[in-house]
Every structure is written in C-alpha cells, then in structure tokens.
Amino acid sequence: EITKEQRALIKAILDAYNRHQIPQDVTKKLLQEQYSAEENFLLLTEVATSQVQVLVEFTKNIPGFLSLDREDQIALLKGSAVEAMFLRSAQVLSKKMPSGYTEVLEERIRKSGMSEEFITPMFNFYKSIGELHMTQEEQALLTTITILTPDRPYVKSHEAVERLQETMLDVLRKLCVLQHPQEPQYFARLLGRLTELRTLHHYHVEMLTSWKTNDHKFTPLLCEIWDVQ
Ligand SMILES: Cc1cccc(C)c1-c1noc(C(C)C)c1COc1ccc(-c2ccc3cc(C(=O)O)ncc3c2)cc1
C-alpha cells in the first residue's frame, strides 16, 4: 500500500543518503594516525566537520526542505546535526567492517578526552541501534525524520516542518510493516531511538563544555553549527 509518490520519495532520499559520503581520505586517517587523546580528538573533529558538510548536502536533497523558510532551514540543521551524527556514527559502528575500522573508531571515541559518564550512554545507544538491523532506507528515513523535527529552537513555521515530517513518518511506518512483518512493534522501536537521541544531545552539550574547559579547539564549521565559543 506504498503509493507511487511514496516510492519516489524513498528513492530520492536513499539516493541522497548514499550519494553524500565522507571522503575516503578522511575516514582512512582514522585507521592510520597514531593514538593519543589529542590525536584522537583532532581526528574526530576532522571527521565530524566532514560529516557536517555531508549532512548539509544530504539535507538540501530532502524533497520539500528547500521550500521551507530559509532561517528555519538553518534552525533545523543546527538543531539536528548532533543527532544525525549520532545516527550516522551508530550505523558505522554497528557494522562489523572488514578493515577493523569499527574497533578503531570505537577506540578513538573512547579515548578522546570525554568523561566516562557520556561514554556509557553513547555506547548503549550504538548497541541498541545495532540490534535493530535497520535497512538503508530505514536509516535514511530516520535521519530525515530527525532533521525535520519541528520543535527545534528558533523554528518559526512549526506547521510547515510538521507536515513534512509527517509525510516521512507515514512512509517509514509503511516501510517497517513491509520490511519487518514479523515485528509489528518495529516502527515504534525506531521512534524510541529518536527519544534516546534527544538525551544524547543533552549529554553532548555537556561534552562540548568540558572539552572547551580543557581548551580543546573546534573547526569554524563546528563552532557555527554547535554555537561553541
Ligand atoms: C563523539 C561523537 C559521537 C557521536 C556524535 C558526535 C557529534 C560525536 C562528536 N562530538 O564531538 C566530536 C568531535 C568534534 C570531537 C564528535 C565526533 O563526531 C563524529 C561524527 C561522525 C563520525 C563518523 C565516523 C566514521 C564514518 C564513516 C563513514 C563511512 O565509512 O561511510 N561515514 C560517516 C562516518 C562518521 C565520527 C565521529
């Protein structure tokens, strides 16, 4: 019962999701550079900066996004960047990559100067995402739904964003029924991850503060999107 328009929407979002990837030379560095808290932090900063650029390009390809009020487009990106990156890094960490890449990324995150109180919930989230075994379409749609959250700070046309998000929620609901027929609660479980993302978002604000206090530097793009310094 997925309509023709909804199939076209899924295809557009999946193509955009797959087309916009972090360049290999950036992610390869995660494997090569030596280990130290400073080096890990620098590498994660570089990957996060590249990830934000990829996220902006992906978001521009979400059907309907560019017809939203321009200031709302910025408000949605700033409000959702951390959550979209938790989702993206979760998808990477939950795949057992042949290159031993997952372990390396996990190690660098664990040893990048963030306190233990953030590490535990973060890796619990990564585990809970891994257990869902999401398809590519589900990952792309869940990221889209996170970006189109109407109650981010400074969003003016709440209804316009809500209408767009509801379109995506309707598609994801149908897709979950189709792709996980034996798990009627699967869609509800996916939405439950969005609640967990909000909690991680709050932790992240504290992580940034503690990194700042220890005089860690961020790139101009991260400072802009995360309102740092
Ligand atoms: C530490 C942390 C955890 C979760 C979210 C954030 C923002 C932070 C976080 N909070 O601060 C920071 C930096 C600034 C220290 C971070 C680091 O964020 C990230 C963001 C993305 C990725 C990442 C890694 C590998 C990828 C491979 C591929 C691919 O192979 O296709 N694609 C995308 C990838 C993205 C890693 C860390």
Side-chain angles (χ1 to χ4, degrees):
E1 81 224 23
I2 291 188
T3 66
K4 209 167 37 59
E5 295 76 25
Q6 287 177 322
R7 283 207 183 284
L9 193 59
I10 295 170
K11 190 178 173 333
I13 289 170
L14 186 60
D15 289 349
Y17 193 72
N18 289 327
R19 194 168 50 247
H20 300 301
Q21 296 280 353
I22 285 191
Q24 284 303 323
D25 62 309
V26 175
T27 48
K28 233 191 351 267
K29 274 189 175 176
L30 283 168
L31 283 171
Q32 280 154 359
E33 308 290 326
Q34 89 274 16
Y35 280 86
S36 73
E38 291 69 34
E39 186 56 50
N40 293 343
F41 180 82
L42 274 178
L43 278 174
L44 289 175
T45 300
E46 190 177 340
V47 173
T49 303
S50 178
Q51 182 65 38
V52 168
Q53 289 158 342
V54 163
L55 182 67
V56 171
E57 288 314 306
F58 167 67
T59 305
K60 282 158 63 178
N61 286 283
I62 295 172
F65 183 82
L66 291 179
S67 16
L68 291 170
D69 172 280
R70 279 198 64 66
E71 281 166 15
D72 283 354
Q73 292 176 26
I74 309 288
L76 291 177
L77 266 169
K78 283 169 67 96
S80 67
V82 169
E83 294 176 27
M85 290 210 270
F86 265 105
L87 270 180
R88 188 76 187 91
S89 54
Q91 276 131 34
V92 171
L93 282 165
S94 53
K95 278 186 305 198
K96 281 293 154 222
M97 312 274 260
S99 56
Y101 179 67
T102 310
E103 292 74 16
V104 163
L105 178 61
E106 173 162 344
E107 189 62 17
R108 291 200 188 272
I109 291 177
R110 287 184 181 281
K111 303 233 169 28
S112 59
M114 70 176 84
S115 76
E116 204 46 47
E117 73 181 289
F118 304 133
I119 300 265
T120 311
M122 185 186 292
F123 282 91
N124 288 342
F125 174 75
Y126 287 148
K127 192 164 159 291
S128 71
I129 288 286
E131 285 159 359
L132 287 170
H133 303 295
M134 279 195 269
T135 62
Q136 278 273 8
E137 292 93 345
E138 288 158 1
Q139 289 177 19
L141 276 166
L142 199 63
T143 302
T144 303
I145 287 161
T146 305
I147 294 164
L148 297 173
T149 299
D151 59 342
R152 298 292 186 198
Y154 314 113
V155 169
K156 296 171 298 187
S157 328
H158 193 280
E159 298 68 34
V161 178
E162 200 166 38
R163 254 196 316 276
L164 213 42
Q165 190 192 46
E166 265 156 23
T167 309
M168 306 300 172
L169 281 162
D170 191 39
V171 171
L172 182 58
R173 183 176 47 73
K174 288 184 178 176
L175 204 62
C176 288
V177 169
L178 272 183
Q179 295 185 344
H180 304 264
Q182 74 289 7
E183 276 186 86
Q185 291 314 319
Y186 185 80
F187 177 57
R189 286 173 66 200
L190 278 194
L191 298 190
R193 300 282 79 83
L194 296 186
T195 314
E196 217 174 328
L197 273 174
R198 295 252 187 161
T199 312
L200 288 164
H201 195 157
H202 294 302
Y203 280 129
H204 192 263
V205 174
E206 288 171 55
M207 274 158 66
L208 288 177
T209 314
S210 72
W211 272 320
K212 285 301 302 160
T213 326
N214 302 331
D215 203 27
H216 282 81
K217 292 273 172 287
F218 296 93
T219 58
L221 181 57
L222 291 178
C223 291
E224 191 185 331
I225 203 146
W226 289 342
D227 292 329
V228 171
Q229 74 223 27

